[in-house]
Amino acid sequence: MPLEVFLFFTNLLLNVKTMTGIRYITNDKGQKTDLIISLKEHGQIVEDLLDALIIEERKGEETIPFENFVAQLKAESKLDE
């Protein structure tokens, strides 16, 4: 995960009591189990976090040159000439 995303979310979670649009869900024992983040207020941040998680998940995947990718899309009629 990119450092700036990690630092932002660390700060966000530390200051959750003072921020609007952030709520915890707790279980019967009062333990925090989930976090609800308002997309209206924090949508861009959530999108950035999800992008960072996808990037991290795909780090080990095989890559191909961009030109090959474009050629493949054109060959499959998924991209106009």
Side-chain angles (χ1 to χ4, degrees), residues 51-80:
D51 288 345
L53 293 173
I54 290 168
I55 290 167
E56 184 66 29
E57 182 180 88
R58 295 180 177 175
K59 266 187 177 178
E61 289 183 6
E62 184 179 331
T63 61
I64 61 171
F66 179 73
E67 295 77 16
N68 294 12
F69 177 67
V70 171
Q72 179 181 348
L73 290 177
K74 288 180 180 179
E76 295 171 0
S77 300
K78 294 180 179 176
L79 186 66
D80 293 333

Side-chain angles (χ1 to χ4, degrees), residues 14-81:
L14 290 174
N15 295 303
V16 74
K17 291 179 182 177
T18 61
M19 293 186 71
T20 60
I22 308 286
R23 293 186 300 157
Y24 281 113
I25 302 295
T26 57
N27 63 15
D28 294 340
K29 297 177 183 177
Q31 299 167 322
K32 296 173 186 172
T33 59
D34 298 282
L35 181 68
I36 297 177
I37 302 173
S38 167
L39 294 177
K40 187 178 279 187
E41 293 184 47
H42 306 291
Q44 185 60 52
I45 296 164
V46 171
E47 186 178 328
D48 292 345
L49 174 64
L50 294 175
D51 288 345
L53 293 173
I54 290 168
I55 290 167
E56 184 66 29
E57 182 180 88
R58 295 180 177 175
K59 266 187 177 178
E61 289 183 6
E62 184 179 331
T63 61
I64 61 171
F66 179 73
E67 295 77 16
N68 294 12
F69 177 67
V70 171
Q72 179 181 348
L73 290 177
K74 288 180 180 179
E76 295 171 0
S77 300
K78 294 180 179 176
L79 186 66
D80 293 333
E81 296 290 327

